[in-house]
Amino acid sequence: MTNDSPLIAILDDEPDIRRLLADTLEDAGFRTASFGRATEFEAALRRMAPDACLIDLGLPDRDGLALVHRLATQSGAAIIIISGRAQVQDRVTGLELGADDYIIKPFDPAVVVARIRARLRKGRSDTDRIATVAHFAGWTAHFDRYLLASEAGEEVTFSHAEGEVLRLFLESPKRLISRTQMQEILGGAAGESFDRAMDVRISRLRTKLGEDPKNPRLIKTIYGAGYIFLGDVRWG
């Protein structure tokens, strides 16, 4: 492990789980910072920039889902929820609010390591792309700042998860993207929770782009097949 190793922040109120995660991740070559309360975690974010955050939802001093949503809109870190809440709706809500992945307790520590590595590999590939700015339909997307800017000067932020979907559309304009392709490219387990999370992210992108939900002009749903982004795109 070196100072260049990815930093993983662990937020869980159970000391045994924090120790298990920290020991496993450090053995795998990661640096870790562990917190038992959201207030401690949020204070630490002022002086550190983790590459990924493992967030438990059952926190004693803060609503975990609200924290996930704030992180998704203000941080470039990968966000992975680790929770005992196993209902589909809990998973959907977590993904809707901007989490990149959702792991249910009890978990296999090796799975957590694999999921983190997958998210960080994808994050590095996104960062390594030369173009971080795209222009389309009167909008400019700044992927390095998670910001949409209109020609009229309006600015709208988007989450890390929404940005992944937007980039996918902008990199493949006027081409059908199936649900299966989205799952393969964006990651995550296929199924109802993934499909519903994608629906919500696309709906939020349409709203931020000022789309008519009944007749969107940019992001078209092809029922039973997938989606097509119809705008012209210029990168750089």
Side-chain angles (χ1 to χ4, degrees):
M1 186 191 315
T2 69
N3 288 335
D4 294 328
S5 299
L7 174 62
I8 314 301
I10 301 165
L11 175 58
D12 197 298
D13 66 338
E14 298 184 49
D16 289 343
I17 290 181
R18 292 200 302 272
R19 282 193 293 270
L20 173 62
L21 288 170
D23 290 346
T24 302
L25 290 168
E26 288 170 10
D27 287 345
F30 295 102
R31 293 179 295 140
T32 67
S34 299
F35 308 91
R37 300 179 69 86
T39 49
E40 299 169 353
F41 170 74
E42 291 175 309
L45 288 180
R46 301 187 187 103
R47 61 179 185 274
M48 71 175 191
D51 297 279
C53 299
L54 302 178
I55 307 292
D56 179 31
L57 297 182
L59 302 171
D61 61 335
R62 188 82 84 247
D63 177 66
L65 288 172
L67 178 59
V68 165
H69 182 57
R70 188 178 72 78
L71 285 173
T73 57
Q74 298 180 10
S75 169
I79 303 168
I80 299 175
I81 293 173
I82 298 186
S83 174
R85 302 179 190 176
Q87 297 298 317
V88 169
Q89 185 56 52
D90 292 319
R91 299 198 297 273
V92 169
T93 300
L95 295 170
E96 287 175 353
L97 292 176
D100 296 287
D101 206 344
Y102 194 114
I103 297 173
I104 298 171
K105 296 177 180 178
F107 54 83
D108 182 337
V111 170
V112 177
V113 171
R115 297 278 190 92
I116 290 173
R117 283 178 171 158
R119 298 311 312 180
L120 294 184
R121 278 197 301 271
K122 187 177 188 313
R124 281 195 295 273
S125 66
D126 287 345
T127 302
D128 290 343
R129 294 185 177 106
I130 295 174
T132 59
V133 178
H135 307 273
F136 62 95
W139 290 92
T140 300
H142 299 270
F143 287 96
D144 54 343
R145 294 188 284 151
Y146 300 93
L147 179 71
L148 282 166
S150 73
E151 292 178 334
E154 178 187 5
E155 293 187 347
V156 183
T157 60
F158 54 85
S159 70
H160 180 270
E162 290 164 353
E164 287 186 333
V165 177
L166 180 60
R167 181 181 277 278
L168 176 59
F169 286 136
L170 297 184
E171 289 183 339
S172 304
K174 302 178 182 177
R175 290 171 50 193
L176 176 67
I177 302 174
S178 69
R179 293 275 190 151
T180 299
Q181 289 172 314
M182 295 181 75
Q183 189 272 327
E184 290 174 349
I185 294 169
L186 299 178
E192 181 183 357
S193 61
F194 177 84
D195 289 343
R196 291 180 62 185
M198 289 302 104
D199 289 341
V200 169
R201 291 175 192 177
I202 290 168
S203 175
R204 288 182 175 176
L205 283 174
R206 284 171 171 159
T207 298
K208 291 177 180 182
L209 293 170
E211 295 264 75
D212 179 353
K214 295 183 179 179
N215 186 30
R217 62 190 180 92
L218 285 176
I219 304 174
K220 288 285 188 180
T221 300
I222 309 300
Y223 291 99
Y227 299 93
I228 294 179
F229 183 84
L230 295 179
D232 294 317
V233 181
R234 176 172 58 85
W235 288 88

